[in-house]
Amino acid sequence: QLLESGGDSVEVGGSLRLSCGVSSHTYRQYCIAWFCQTPGKGREAVATWQYGRSTVYDDSVKGRFTASEDNAKHTLYLQMNSLKPEDTAMYYCAADAKAVAPWDWIGGYTSWGQGTQVTVS
């Protein structure tokens, strides 16, 4: 089970940190990704994280977004800096017990959170 939080309304250039709490203590065995979705569009991959591997980011967020983890809290974070209006979206975390390839394949993730809204204006 995944639970996102941290979404908010911020000004252009601001920062937010999204959290994805994972109910399993074995979450390091999972491939966990962040997706975003705007009205009328499908979910698009933002970043994917897997313990022991380099995090992969979409080109649109490279250098601005950073994924990190807190193992003790079973939580994955997405630090979002230099936010732009085009970052406005519902953000979801998704997970699967195996590596997903390609990393941005939405169908490869079997568990999804409920989403958290990010608005940049």
Side-chain angles (χ1 to χ4, degrees), residues 17-87:
R17 189 178 74 164
L18 305 185
S19 300
C20 175
V22 184
S23 60
S24 172
H25 68 283
T26 60
Y27 85 100
R28 280 186 166 182
Q29 299 175 10
Y30 286 73
C31 180
I32 303 175
W34 290 95
F35 284 78
C36 66
Q37 184 173 24
T38 54
K41 295 183 66 176
R43 294 182 185 182
E44 299 176 341
V46 174
T48 188
W49 174 93
Q50 192 165 17
Y51 180 72
R53 299 187 178 188
S54 297
T55 301
V56 180
Y57 298 94
D58 184 76
D59 287 345
S60 64
V61 305
K62 282 181 181 177
R64 300 189 299 121
F65 291 10
T66 304
S68 62
E69 61 145 350
D70 185 329
N71 185 36
K73 296 182 178 180
H74 303 168
T75 298
L76 187 70
Y77 300 104
L78 185 68
Q79 179 67 42
M80 310 166 72
N81 297 328
S82 302
L83 284 162
K84 305 175 181 180
E86 50 264 43
D87 295 321

Side-chain angles (χ1 to χ4, degrees), residues 97-118:
K98 60 185 183 302
V100 177
W103 72 276
D104 56 352
W105 175 40
I106 190 171
Y109 296 92
T110 54
S111 298
W112 290 83
Q114 84 291 348
T116 186
Q117 177 68 38
V118 172

